[in-house]
Amino acid sequence: MTDLTPVLDRADKNLDKSLERLFELVRIPSISTDPSYKADCRKAAEWLVSALTELGFTASVRDTPGHPMVVAHHEAGRADAPHVLFYGHYDVQPVDPLELWENDPFAPAIKELDGGRKIITGRGTSDDKGQLLTFLEACRAYKDTVGSLPVKITILFEGEEESGSPSLKPFLEANRDELKAEYALVCDTGMWDTQTPAIAATLRGLVGEEVTVQAADRDLHSGLFGGAAANPIHILTTALAGLRDETGRITLPGFYDGVEETPENIKASWGTLGRDAKSFLGEVGLSEPSGEKGRSVLELTWARPTCEVNGIWGGYTGEGFKTVIAAKASAKISFRLVGTQDPDKIRESFRTYIRSMIPADCSVEFHEHGGSPAIQLSYDSPVLTKAKAALSDEWPKPAVIVGMGGSIPIVGDFQTYLGMDSLLVGFGLIDDRIHSPNEKYDLNSFHKGIRSWVRILAAL
Amino acid sequence: MTDLTPVLDRADKNLDKSLERLFELVRIPSISTDPSYKADCRKAAEWLVSALTELGFTASVRDTPGHPMVVAHHEAGRADAPHVLFYGHYDVQPVDPLELWENDPFAPAIKELDGGRKIITGRGTSDDKGQLLTFLEACRAYKDTVGSLPVKITILFEGEEESGSPSLKPFLEANRDELKAEYALVCDTGMWDTQTPAIAATLRGLVGEEVTVQAADRDLHSGLFGGAAANPIHILTTALAGLRDETGRITLPGFYDGVEETPENIKASWGTLGRDAKSFLGEVGLSEPSGEKGRSVLELTWARPTCEVNGIWGGYTGEGFKTVIAAKASAKISFRLVGTQDPDKIRESFRTYIRSMIPADCSVEFHEHGGSPAIQLSYDSPVLTKAKAALSDEWPKPAVIVGMGGSIPIVGDFQTYLGMDSLLVGFGLIDDRIHSPNEKYDLNSFHKGIRSWVRILAAL
């Protein structure tokens, strides 16, 4: 492997200019949900095209029915180098309530906190303008030093990530050949803590269901009918209670098909992170893990499937009391999936079970609220191993492979439409206040983020 | 026993005048919930005092903080005759939506239906002006014929029955000595069908509870916390599901203390009423009894205790989906009681059970929504037996002893404040549309109702 010192030095020397470029981009108020910022969204896209062109990319603004995409290409210095797609988004969240901001959200600045930690303030500094620029500035350090890039790079910057990405899937489908690479690099996640970089290797999938149980054809008086007429709340609560056994396992037949145990070395590394039930749940006023018994909270939230009732309603719910037997009762239920659990099979198993709990004279209706499989990178894939080593070289503590309890839709879309896995590396911190007033990005995240990408690009 | 023929004949001859008096009373729009009819309520009370005075009662309008009571007294012809309290109410329900009435609600009229059945239309004809006048007109037939009454009578007419009876308990308490009799006659219930009179011997009691389970101190994201953080909806639904076993019995310790089996002869008489699960539940779109297995719907709703969840809510209940784990979930639960079940003990048993289902790091709060024991007249009391025989003499079919699934608060109040049982006899029919537009009372109910009271007063 080439000696990276000149490239890393160059990244250090460039830092002031890199910051200037970040400030320029942050000053453009590219709020995608608010139509009055439509021109600003385009301006941000054009700014990126110009920056990419300056870096030697073939770059263009690509129109969509919504805000434009930015697509760019750059060959590698060597013909046998891998080809990666780098993804980020240039749109930002709205800024209200504006009065809670200590600094103008679109006038970025460096601020020194007590204790000397320096932060970059402004909307989008962390989500996602600062993050995506770490990658471009790493490319710049390469070009300035070596004159070429170590991998072939396609860039995709989106302008609708904060407003549901309505144009993304059609765009991926229409431009499959142009966008397809060996794998994607996604820079929209965070560090474990200020000292410890992280790579997200698993993202749980999701199945959403809504169930409505209907008993009588009208609300009944519980004095006249109580004890004889079916109560849909009883039917629903009994069915929901039966979804879980006393060990916390989900009882649906076939539910655990495709769920694999987390490797012992990964579980051991999670054990060193100091995030136990007390610290994790203590933040929200709880202390006891509630799911499957005998597993750590990190395993429960990163590597185990769940079934949660997210909402329930039926009968009289106002002030006082009404002795009614409701005609209907409803619940919204979601399953988080891991491994290769099949969303369709789980939905069907759930519906079959619920139907089996409905008395002959009652009925049930289902309403689907989406479904997506889990994303699971192999814990020992070469890309993951290389990126982990590169990050560990840069930061005080070794990189950790983490899971994510929620989903990042783009990762599933890249698998579905472009048939490729994603490497999720980012430098955000838990206190970055993304989506809230006073968003910031640590100067250290930006600086060492650039250096991290230099190392990762070399390692790939 | 005296020959009743002259008295009954007199009731028949009086019928037109009796109807005129009913019309006069119905014309007074004594809607107790609407303050703009305050003067009309008083007018109805004054009309009753005048009618009672004319009948030889010592009668007076008695002020309360709300609408006035009417109290009247009349001695019996014989000194050793029993003393009864007759109760009715002169207030009526509001009449909106007025456009749904075929006749002016306060311009009563006789209408002949297809098939020749005659009805009296107007608000309050059945609930309760027509019913209470059956008793006064029976008294009139006695006075006109015999010159005296066969029992000593105290009258209590209330003007707030349709608005929660706020003045009743204080009034009973303050006038205990004046109102106390051997038992009460309450004419505010119905017939089994047009041919079959009924006496209500049991009224179920009620315990109302509201439960709120609190888990985390805020709503959580189910991706980040799902599988590890306690979900209050799971806790609540599991606890509620456990209230019932697979045979439909309530599982709370001590719940069935004080519940006695219904005598076989009573169950047999209920079996002849033709009200099976199919006909009873078929009216509301159901067919299978849902409570304790192996019991008829009449037994389930008249003579067995229940536990019903009347409302449940928690988490996200709007359109679409939100992957939230709620901080709280709540339910409203009611128990219908029979026999000598103790409301306080059942409430405590319920709370103890629910507390036992709450994890150590979660909490639960209870809110009481009232409690009252069941009313159970002895199925073989002399009063019941006499009234049953008297009614059976008047109507085409023998009277039936029925239960009532709901509660009539006045009956409990008479027990609590005046220490006396009530005999519940009334001539309303299921299609009287009380509380709805086009309220009516069958002419036959009014006419044979008067004759029924003649017979009952003689029998007592």
Side-chain angles (χ1 to χ4, degrees):
Chain A
M1 188 181 288
T2 342
D3 177 17
L4 287 179
T5 315
V7 188
L8 293 169
D9 285 350
R10 187 68 194 198
D12 296 345
K13 273 189 210 119
N14 279 354
L15 184 62
D16 285 348
K17 295 264 184 208
S18 301
L19 275 170
E20 268 174 42
R21 282 184 282 267
L22 173 58
F23 282 23
E24 276 181 30
L25 184 57
V26 171
R27 283 189 197 109
I28 306 170
S30 47
I31 301 170
S32 59
T33 55
D34 186 339
S36 57
Y37 293 92
K38 191 169 163 49
D40 292 300
C41 289
R42 176 163 291 270
K43 200 173 154 194
E46 283 164 355
W47 186 95
L48 284 164
V49 166
S50 144
L52 285 161
T53 307
E54 189 199 323
L55 276 171
F57 281 78
T58 315
S60 57
V61 170
R62 304 282 282 271
D63 287 332
T64 74
H67 301 300
M69 304 279 178
V70 170
V71 178
H73 303 282
H74 199 297
E75 291 300 323
R78 280 180 7 210
D80 62 345
H83 177 195
V84 301
L85 172 75
F86 181 82
Y87 166 89
H89 65 91
Y90 65 77
D91 63 323
V92 299
Q93 282 274 320
V95 293
D96 28 67
L98 196 57
E99 64 275 17
L100 295 185
W101 287 79
E102 290 169 18
N103 292 64
D104 183 335
F106 299 114
I110 303 283
K111 241 174 124 168
E112 189 167 333
L113 302 182
D114 294 342
R117 192 171 154 198
K118 287 184 182 164
I119 60 171
I120 312 162
T121 65
R123 173 57 88 224
T125 48
S126 173
D127 183 19
D128 184 43
K129 290 171 174 175
Q131 301 246 57
L132 69 85
L133 281 188
T134 57
F135 185 81
L136 295 198
E137 293 301 319
C139 293
R140 185 182 305 276
Y142 265 105
K143 291 295 293 270
D144 287 354
T145 321
V146 189
S148 69
L149 295 179
V151 295
K152 180 178 171 183
I153 297 175
T154 296
I155 298 271
L156 174 66
F157 292 145
E158 184 192 1
E160 298 178 320
E161 200 272 348
E162 304 293 3
S163 52
S165 300
S167 309
L168 187 72
K169 288 177 191 180
F171 192 81
L172 293 181
E173 213 160 13
N175 299 279
R176 188 177 296 154
D177 291 342
E178 183 183 354
L179 297 172
K180 173 105 178 78
E182 285 163 54
Y183 44 88
L185 306 177
V186 174
C187 189
D188 200 14
T189 53
M191 310 257 296
W192 175 255
D193 59 30
T194 58
Q195 310 291 302
T196 317
I199 303 173
T202 61
L203 297 166
R204 290 196 290 189
L206 189 67
V207 167
E209 282 279 284
E210 185 167 328
V211 182
T212 298
V213 177
Q214 168 113 35
D217 58 15
R218 69 202 74 171
D219 285 358
L220 302 175
H221 187 285
S222 78
L224 298 179
F225 285 93
N231 183 328
I233 302 179
H234 298 180
I235 298 165
L236 184 63
T237 54
T238 303
L240 294 177
L243 285 167
R244 221 165 278 97
D245 70 16
E246 63 282 0
T247 71
R249 272 176 78 89
I250 311 305
T251 55
L252 294 178
F255 183 76
Y256 288 95
D257 291 355
V259 179
E260 297 207 349
E261 287 298 327
T262 306
E264 286 304 325
N265 64 324
I266 298 289
K267 282 205 270 190
S269 75
W270 292 348
T272 67
L273 293 174
R275 184 72 67 98
D276 61 5
K278 219 178 174 100
S279 72
F280 180 69
L281 295 172
E283 282 171 27
V284 297
L286 294 171
S287 58
E288 303 291 329
S290 77
E292 291 175 276
K293 303 244 184 288
R295 298 180 187 272
S296 73
V297 287
L298 291 184
E299 196 185 355
L300 288 170
T301 53
W302 289 351
R304 300 299 300 176
T306 68
C307 164
E308 298 283 346
V309 183
N310 304 105
I312 189 166
W313 67 102
Y316 182 69
T317 61
E319 282 296 303
F321 211 87
K322 211 170 149 184
T323 50
V324 66
I325 298 178
K328 292 182 182 190
S330 300
K332 295 181 198 263
I333 297 108
S334 64
F335 298 90
R336 297 276 172 182
L337 311 187
V338 302
T340 58
Q341 280 180 299
D342 181 333
D344 295 333
K345 281 193 185 155
I346 283 172
R347 190 187 306 284
E348 206 38 56
S349 181
F350 170 72
R351 291 186 176 187
T352 302
Y353 162 72
I354 295 288
R355 282 193 198 101
S356 77
M357 300 293 285
I358 307 295
D361 58 349
C362 299
S363 62
V364 61
E365 274 184 28
F366 297 95
H367 184 75
E368 176 177 336
H369 286 292
S372 58
I375 303 292
Q376 174 124 28
L377 255 68
S378 167
Y379 285 117
D380 49 12
S381 82
V383 173
L384 200 72
T385 307
K386 286 176 192 169
K388 185 170 187 267
L391 285 166
S392 302
D393 286 345
E394 176 61 28
W395 294 84
K397 293 196 182 169
V400 289
I401 308 300
V402 300
M404 295 192 63
S407 47
I408 298 189
I410 185 74
V411 178
D413 293 337
F414 284 161
Q415 278 206 329
T416 306
Y417 296 97
L418 306 182
M420 61 182 181
D421 284 338
S422 299
L423 180 72
L424 295 141
V425 174
F427 310 99
L429 287 168
I430 193 83
D431 63 356
D432 277 356
R433 290 184 292 273
I434 63 170
H435 297 208
S436 299
N438 300 312
E439 180 174 349
K440 62 89 182 163
Y441 197 43
D442 274 32
L443 180 58
N444 207 39
S445 289
F446 189 60
H447 182 191
K448 288 176 88 68
I450 296 168
R451 291 174 54 98
S452 295
W453 282 120
V454 167
R455 292 182 191 274
I456 292 171
L457 288 175
L460 294 179
Chain B
M1 186 182 291
T2 344
D3 177 16
L4 287 178
T5 315
V7 189
L8 293 168
D9 285 349
R10 186 68 194 198
D12 296 344
K13 271 190 210 118
N14 280 354
L15 184 62
D16 285 347
K17 294 264 185 212
S18 301
L19 275 171
E20 268 174 44
R21 283 184 281 268
L22 172 58
F23 282 23
E24 276 182 30
L25 184 56
V26 171
R27 285 188 196 109
I28 306 170
S30 45
I31 301 170
S32 59
T33 56
D34 186 339
S36 56
Y37 294 92
K38 190 169 164 51
D40 293 299
C41 289
R42 175 162 292 269
K43 200 173 156 192
E46 283 163 355
W47 186 96
L48 284 164
V49 166
S50 144
L52 285 160
T53 306
E54 188 197 323
L55 276 171
F57 280 78
T58 314
S60 58
V61 171
R62 304 282 282 272
D63 287 332
T64 74
H67 301 299
M69 303 279 177
V70 171
V71 178
H73 302 280
H74 199 298
E75 291 299 324
R78 280 180 7 211
D80 61 346
H83 177 194
V84 302
L85 172 75
F86 180 82
Y87 166 89
H89 65 92
Y90 65 78
D91 63 323
V92 299
Q93 281 275 320
V95 294
D96 28 67
L98 196 57
E99 64 274 17
L100 295 185
W101 287 80
E102 290 169 19
N103 291 62
D104 182 337
F106 299 115
I110 303 281
K111 242 175 122 169
E112 189 167 334
L113 303 182
D114 294 342
R117 190 171 155 198
K118 286 183 181 165
I119 60 171
I120 312 161
T121 65
R123 172 57 88 224
T125 49
S126 173
D127 182 20
D128 185 47
K129 290 171 173 175
Q131 299 246 57
L132 70 83
L133 280 187
T134 57
F135 186 81
L136 294 199
E137 293 301 319
C139 293
R140 186 183 305 275
Y142 264 106
K143 292 294 293 273
D144 287 355
T145 322
V146 189
S148 67
L149 295 179
V151 295
K152 180 178 171 182
I153 296 175
T154 296
I155 297 270
L156 175 66
F157 292 145
E158 184 192 2
E160 298 178 321
E161 200 271 348
E162 304 292 5
S163 51
S165 300
S167 309
L168 188 72
K169 288 177 191 179
F171 191 82
L172 293 181
E173 212 159 14
N175 298 281
R176 189 178 294 155
D177 292 343
E178 182 181 356
L179 297 172
K180 173 105 177 80
E182 286 162 55
Y183 45 87
L185 307 176
V186 175
C187 189
D188 200 14
T189 52
M191 310 257 295
W192 174 254
D193 58 31
T194 58
Q195 310 291 302
T196 318
I199 303 173
T202 60
L203 298 166
R204 290 196 290 189
L206 188 67
V207 168
E209 280 279 284
E210 185 167 329
V211 181
T212 298
V213 177
Q214 167 113 36
D217 58 15
R218 69 202 75 173
D219 285 358
L220 303 175
H221 188 285
S222 77
L224 298 179
F225 285 93
N231 183 329
I233 302 179
H234 298 180
I235 298 165
L236 183 63
T237 54
T238 303
L240 294 177
L243 284 167
R244 222 164 279 98
D245 70 16
E246 64 282 1
T247 71
R249 272 177 79 90
I250 311 305
T251 55
L252 294 179
F255 184 76
Y256 289 94
D257 291 353
V259 179
E260 297 207 347
E261 288 297 326
T262 307
E264 286 303 324
N265 63 325
I266 298 289
K267 282 206 270 188
S269 76
W270 292 348
T272 67
L273 294 173
R275 184 71 66 98
D276 60 5
K278 219 176 173 100
S279 72
F280 179 69
L281 295 172
E283 283 172 25
V284 296
L286 294 170
S287 58
E288 304 290 331
S290 77
E292 291 175 276
K293 303 246 182 287
R295 298 181 185 271
S296 72
V297 287
L298 292 184
E299 196 185 356
L300 287 170
T301 53
W302 289 350
R304 300 298 300 175
T306 68
C307 164
E308 297 283 346
V309 183
N310 303 105
I312 189 165
W313 67 101
Y316 182 70
T317 61
E319 283 295 305
F321 210 87
K322 210 170 147 185
T323 50
V324 66
I325 297 178
K328 292 181 182 192
S330 300
K332 294 180 198 266
I333 297 108
S334 65
F335 298 90
R336 297 277 170 183
L337 311 187
V338 303
T340 58
Q341 280 181 298
D342 181 333
D344 295 334
K345 280 193 185 156
I346 283 172
R347 190 187 305 284
E348 205 38 55
S349 180
F350 171 71
R351 292 186 175 187
T352 301
Y353 162 73
I354 295 287
R355 281 193 199 102
S356 77
M357 300 293 284
I358 307 294
D361 58 349
C362 299
S363 63
V364 61
E365 274 184 26
F366 297 95
H367 184 75
E368 177 177 336
H369 286 293
S372 58
I375 303 291
Q376 174 123 27
L377 256 67
S378 168
Y379 285 116
D380 50 12
S381 81
V383 174
L384 199 72
T385 307
K386 286 175 191 170
K388 185 170 188 266
L391 285 166
S392 302
D393 285 344
E394 175 61 28
W395 294 84
K397 293 195 182 169
V400 288
I401 308 301
V402 301
M404 295 192 63
S407 46
I408 298 188
I410 185 74
V411 178
D413 294 336
F414 285 161
Q415 279 206 329
T416 306
Y417 296 98
L418 306 181
M420 61 182 180
D421 283 338
S422 299
L423 181 72
L424 294 140
V425 174
F427 309 99
L429 288 168
I430 191 81
D431 63 356
D432 278 355
R433 292 184 292 273
I434 62 169
H435 297 208
S436 299
N438 299 312
E439 179 174 349
K440 63 87 181 164
Y441 198 43
D442 273 32
L443 180 58
N444 207 41
S445 289
F446 189 61
H447 181 191
K448 289 177 87 68
I450 296 167
R451 291 173 54 98
S452 295
W453 282 121
V454 167
R455 293 182 191 272
I456 292 171
L457 287 175
L460 293 179

